[in-house]
Amino acid sequence: MKLVLGRDDLASAALAAAREAGADPERVDIKPVHKASRGFVNASDVDLCELAIVTVLQAVAHGKPVLLLPVTTLGRHQHQTLVTLGGLSVADVEGHSVGVRAWSQTTGVWVRGFLTEQYGIDLRKAHWTTYEGHHVEGAEDPSWVRRAPEGTKLPADFLAGNVDFGIMGNELPADDRIRTAVDDARAVAEQWSKDQGFVPVNHVVGVSEAAAAEHGPAILAAYDAMRSLLTAQEEGGPVALHPVGFAGLRGAFTKAAAYALEQDVIPRAVDYDELVERTCTALGVPPSRLGG
């Protein structure tokens, strides 16, 4: 049983629990963790894998054998990830160029959702550039999105002034010229989460259908161990930063799915209850067993 998890503490907890449940688990170390997504989604080359939530939605929409295990491995606010070098603000996105690593990158989906819902931006009136393809085979960029020349990277393109705005999370370069396009972005992000009742979750855990059939007890044990760890670490506050369980992730997934459909990231609507049913059927458990 092969696992890919970016956080050492979650990986250790999941490995120990799966081993105690009778499996022979192995952690596959892939960094950055998103580089494991393509092999997992399209070839099931590992059994349990950390995934961006939009990758889960795309995989299900394209008929891939991927199940959601409702554990948040990376929860964070996202408004601060829209950045610029000059005097532009979020109100100036229309008519200007915006770079994002991939159209299906979860951070980009959240930010574009904020742009339309909070700021009234027409996404088609901005000039979008992507730098990578999708993790899910069969997914393509919309016709109104441009792909950068092969070998071009967003951070360098952004610093060179080739795009006016960039959407960047962990890949944000260090440069004193960079400023957030949303004024008081952290405060705006916190207020958004308070209003919505959830954080714009980034990464969760996926399980292959084959693994659910072969390693069901070990997967459930790994879920329990990760849930216990994250629950113990939760610092409180108005919303959970790392929600666990189907009920805890419903808000984030439902909103992300709506944004993804509006942005032509997924080819069909994906209802959250479809994800719940797929997982529970494969593992042979009721939703309540996984916090739902």
Side-chain angles (χ1 to χ4, degrees), residues 227-245:
R227 179 196 61 198
S228 295
L229 182 68
L230 290 170
T231 300
Q233 292 177 349
E234 194 63 50
E235 296 180 356
V239 293
L241 190 59
H242 291 87
V244 180

PDB file of all heavy atoms in Angstrom, residues 227-245:
ATOM      1  N   ARG A 227      -7.375  12.247  11.255  1.00  0.00           N
ATOM      2  CA  ARG A 227      -8.430  13.053  11.882  1.00  0.00           C
ATOM      3  C   ARG A 227      -8.060  13.403  13.312  1.00  0.00           C
ATOM      4  O   ARG A 227      -8.185  14.565  13.727  1.00  0.00           O
ATOM      5  CB  ARG A 227      -9.747  12.285  11.868  1.00  0.00           C
ATOM      6  CG  ARG A 227     -10.926  13.025  12.522  1.00  0.00           C
ATOM      7  CD  ARG A 227     -12.061  12.079  12.831  1.00  0.00           C
ATOM      8  NE  ARG A 227     -11.623  11.043  13.763  1.00  0.00           N
ATOM      9  CZ  ARG A 227     -12.257   9.890  13.953  1.00  0.00           C
ATOM     10  NH1 ARG A 227     -13.337   9.603  13.268  1.00  0.00           N
ATOM     11  NH2 ARG A 227     -11.791   9.011  14.828  1.00  0.00           N
ATOM     12  N   SER A 228      -7.588  12.443  14.062  1.00  0.00           N
ATOM     13  CA  SER A 228      -7.220  12.686  15.460  1.00  0.00           C
ATOM     14  C   SER A 228      -6.099  13.708  15.565  1.00  0.00           C
ATOM     15  O   SER A 228      -6.133  14.608  16.415  1.00  0.00           O
ATOM     16  CB  SER A 228      -6.797  11.373  16.126  1.00  0.00           C
ATOM     17  OG  SER A 228      -7.882  10.472  16.193  1.00  0.00           O
ATOM     18  N   LEU A 229      -5.114  13.584  14.687  1.00  0.00           N
ATOM     19  CA  LEU A 229      -3.981  14.503  14.712  1.00  0.00           C
ATOM     20  C   LEU A 229      -4.421  15.924  14.385  1.00  0.00           C
ATOM     21  O   LEU A 229      -4.082  16.875  15.097  1.00  0.00           O
ATOM     22  CB  LEU A 229      -2.924  14.038  13.715  1.00  0.00           C
ATOM     23  CG  LEU A 229      -1.646  14.870  13.646  1.00  0.00           C
ATOM     24  CD1 LEU A 229      -0.831  14.730  14.925  1.00  0.00           C
ATOM     25  CD2 LEU A 229      -0.802  14.449  12.446  1.00  0.00           C
ATOM     26  N   LEU A 230      -5.196  16.091  13.331  1.00  0.00           N
ATOM     27  CA  LEU A 230      -5.617  17.428  12.915  1.00  0.00           C
ATOM     28  C   LEU A 230      -6.576  18.055  13.920  1.00  0.00           C
ATOM     29  O   LEU A 230      -6.523  19.258  14.174  1.00  0.00           O
ATOM     30  CB  LEU A 230      -6.271  17.362  11.530  1.00  0.00           C
ATOM     31  CG  LEU A 230      -5.315  17.049  10.376  1.00  0.00           C
ATOM     32  CD1 LEU A 230      -6.088  16.771   9.101  1.00  0.00           C
ATOM     33  CD2 LEU A 230      -4.320  18.187  10.168  1.00  0.00           C
ATOM     34  N   THR A 231      -7.439  17.250  14.487  1.00  0.00           N
ATOM     35  CA  THR A 231      -8.369  17.764  15.492  1.00  0.00           C
ATOM     36  C   THR A 231      -7.625  18.268  16.718  1.00  0.00           C
ATOM     37  O   THR A 231      -7.952  19.318  17.276  1.00  0.00           O
ATOM     38  CB  THR A 231      -9.379  16.671  15.896  1.00  0.00           C
ATOM     39  OG1 THR A 231     -10.113  16.253  14.735  1.00  0.00           O
ATOM     40  CG2 THR A 231     -10.361  17.193  16.936  1.00  0.00           C
ATOM     41  N   ALA A 232      -6.595  17.526  17.128  1.00  0.00           N
ATOM     42  CA  ALA A 232      -5.809  17.928  18.295  1.00  0.00           C
ATOM     43  C   ALA A 232      -5.029  19.209  18.026  1.00  0.00           C
ATOM     44  O   ALA A 232      -4.775  19.996  18.945  1.00  0.00           O
ATOM     45  CB  ALA A 232      -4.854  16.798  18.683  1.00  0.00           C
ATOM     46  N   GLN A 233      -4.656  19.447  16.773  1.00  0.00           N
ATOM     47  CA  GLN A 233      -3.855  20.623  16.424  1.00  0.00           C
ATOM     48  C   GLN A 233      -4.700  21.856  16.131  1.00  0.00           C
ATOM     49  O   GLN A 233      -4.166  22.953  16.068  1.00  0.00           O
ATOM     50  CB  GLN A 233      -2.990  20.315  15.195  1.00  0.00           C
ATOM     51  CG  GLN A 233      -1.893  19.295  15.443  1.00  0.00           C
ATOM     52  CD  GLN A 233      -1.109  18.973  14.177  1.00  0.00           C
ATOM     53  OE1 GLN A 233      -1.504  19.348  13.073  1.00  0.00           O
ATOM     54  NE2 GLN A 233      -0.004  18.268  14.328  1.00  0.00           N
ATOM     55  N   GLU A 234      -5.986  21.684  15.945  1.00  0.00           N
ATOM     56  CA  GLU A 234      -6.840  22.816  15.573  1.00  0.00           C
ATOM     57  C   GLU A 234      -6.805  23.874  16.665  1.00  0.00           C
ATOM     58  O   GLU A 234      -7.002  23.582  17.842  1.00  0.00           O
ATOM     59  CB  GLU A 234      -8.283  22.344  15.351  1.00  0.00           C
ATOM     60  CG  GLU A 234      -9.163  23.344  14.645  1.00  0.00           C
ATOM     61  CD  GLU A 234      -8.693  23.668  13.229  1.00  0.00           C
ATOM     62  OE1 GLU A 234      -8.441  22.746  12.441  1.00  0.00           O
ATOM     63  OE2 GLU A 234      -8.561  24.874  12.943  1.00  0.00           O
ATOM     64  N   GLU A 235      -6.543  25.110  16.268  1.00  0.00           N
ATOM     65  CA  GLU A 235      -6.348  26.189  17.232  1.00  0.00           C
ATOM     66  C   GLU A 235      -7.622  26.938  17.574  1.00  0.00           C
ATOM     67  O   GLU A 235      -7.610  27.896  18.336  1.00  0.00           O
ATOM     68  CB  GLU A 235      -5.304  27.172  16.682  1.00  0.00           C
ATOM     69  CG  GLU A 235      -3.923  26.547  16.521  1.00  0.00           C
ATOM     70  CD  GLU A 235      -2.903  27.536  15.983  1.00  0.00           C
ATOM     71  OE1 GLU A 235      -3.299  28.677  15.670  1.00  0.00           O
ATOM     72  OE2 GLU A 235      -1.717  27.157  15.870  1.00  0.00           O
ATOM     73  N   GLY A 236      -8.729  26.518  17.030  1.00  0.00           N
ATOM     74  CA  GLY A 236      -9.975  27.235  17.288  1.00  0.00           C
ATOM     75  C   GLY A 236     -10.141  28.381  16.314  1.00  0.00           C
ATOM     76  O   GLY A 236      -9.499  28.443  15.279  1.00  0.00           O
ATOM     77  N   GLY A 237     -10.994  29.304  16.626  1.00  0.00           N
ATOM     78  CA  GLY A 237     -11.285  30.391  15.707  1.00  0.00           C
ATOM     79  C   GLY A 237     -12.656  30.198  15.092  1.00  0.00           C
ATOM     80  O   GLY A 237     -13.331  29.202  15.338  1.00  0.00           O
ATOM     81  N   PRO A 238     -13.073  31.144  14.265  1.00  0.00           N
ATOM     82  CA  PRO A 238     -14.426  31.090  13.716  1.00  0.00           C
ATOM     83  C   PRO A 238     -14.660  29.931  12.760  1.00  0.00           C
ATOM     84  O   PRO A 238     -15.782  29.430  12.637  1.00  0.00           O
ATOM     85  CB  PRO A 238     -14.565  32.438  13.000  1.00  0.00           C
ATOM     86  CG  PRO A 238     -13.156  32.885  12.729  1.00  0.00           C
ATOM     87  CD  PRO A 238     -12.343  32.353  13.862  1.00  0.00           C
ATOM     88  N   VAL A 239     -13.620  29.503  12.028  1.00  0.00           N
ATOM     89  CA  VAL A 239     -13.743  28.361  11.119  1.00  0.00           C
ATOM     90  C   VAL A 239     -12.501  27.491  11.243  1.00  0.00           C
ATOM     91  O   VAL A 239     -11.407  27.972  11.559  1.00  0.00           O
ATOM     92  CB  VAL A 239     -13.922  28.808   9.648  1.00  0.00           C
ATOM     93  CG1 VAL A 239     -15.256  29.500   9.447  1.00  0.00           C
ATOM     94  CG2 VAL A 239     -12.789  29.729   9.214  1.00  0.00           C
ATOM     95  N   ALA A 240     -12.669  26.198  10.968  1.00  0.00           N
ATOM     96  CA  ALA A 240     -11.544  25.268  11.039  1.00  0.00           C
ATOM     97  C   ALA A 240     -10.632  25.459   9.829  1.00  0.00           C
ATOM     98  O   ALA A 240     -11.103  25.544   8.696  1.00  0.00           O
ATOM     99  CB  ALA A 240     -12.050  23.832  11.086  1.00  0.00           C
ATOM    100  N   LEU A 241      -9.332  25.524  10.078  1.00  0.00           N
ATOM    101  CA  LEU A 241      -8.370  25.662   8.997  1.00  0.00           C
ATOM    102  C   LEU A 241      -8.134  24.337   8.280  1.00  0.00           C
ATOM    103  O   LEU A 241      -7.845  24.309   7.075  1.00  0.00           O
ATOM    104  CB  LEU A 241      -7.041  26.208   9.539  1.00  0.00           C
ATOM    105  CG  LEU A 241      -5.994  26.638   8.514  1.00  0.00           C
ATOM    106  CD1 LEU A 241      -6.541  27.738   7.598  1.00  0.00           C
ATOM    107  CD2 LEU A 241      -4.723  27.105   9.207  1.00  0.00           C
ATOM    108  N   HIS A 242      -8.263  23.237   9.002  1.00  0.00           N
ATOM    109  CA  HIS A 242      -8.068  21.908   8.423  1.00  0.00           C
ATOM    110  C   HIS A 242      -9.266  21.019   8.766  1.00  0.00           C
ATOM    111  O   HIS A 242      -9.170  20.114   9.599  1.00  0.00           O
ATOM    112  CB  HIS A 242      -6.766  21.279   8.933  1.00  0.00           C
ATOM    113  CG  HIS A 242      -5.541  21.956   8.428  1.00  0.00           C
ATOM    114  ND1 HIS A 242      -4.984  23.046   9.068  1.00  0.00           N
ATOM    115  CD2 HIS A 242      -4.777  21.737   7.322  1.00  0.00           C
ATOM    116  CE1 HIS A 242      -3.919  23.446   8.388  1.00  0.00           C
ATOM    117  NE2 HIS A 242      -3.771  22.675   7.331  1.00  0.00           N
ATOM    118  N   PRO A 243     -10.413  21.283   8.129  1.00  0.00           N
ATOM    119  CA  PRO A 243     -11.604  20.489   8.432  1.00  0.00           C
ATOM    120  C   PRO A 243     -11.435  19.030   8.026  1.00  0.00           C
ATOM    121  O   PRO A 243     -10.739  18.711   7.050  1.00  0.00           O
ATOM    122  CB  PRO A 243     -12.705  21.162   7.607  1.00  0.00           C
ATOM    123  CG  PRO A 243     -11.974  21.880   6.513  1.00  0.00           C
ATOM    124  CD  PRO A 243     -10.670  22.308   7.118  1.00  0.00           C
ATOM    125  N   VAL A 244     -12.048  18.153   8.791  1.00  0.00           N
ATOM    126  CA  VAL A 244     -12.001  16.715   8.538  1.00  0.00           C
ATOM    127  C   VAL A 244     -13.423  16.182   8.570  1.00  0.00           C
ATOM    128  O   VAL A 244     -14.242  16.618   9.373  1.00  0.00           O
ATOM    129  CB  VAL A 244     -11.141  15.996   9.602  1.00  0.00           C
ATOM    130  CG1 VAL A 244     -11.095  14.495   9.339  1.00  0.00           C
ATOM    131  CG2 VAL A 244      -9.726  16.564   9.634  1.00  0.00           C
ATOM    132  N   GLY A 245     -13.708  15.212   7.714  1.00  0.00           N
ATOM    133  CA  GLY A 245     -15.035  14.613   7.667  1.00  0.00           C
ATOM    134  C   GLY A 245     -15.872  15.210   6.548  1.00  0.00           C
ATOM    135  O   GLY A 245     -15.663  16.349   6.120  1.00  0.00           O
TER     136      GLY A 245
END
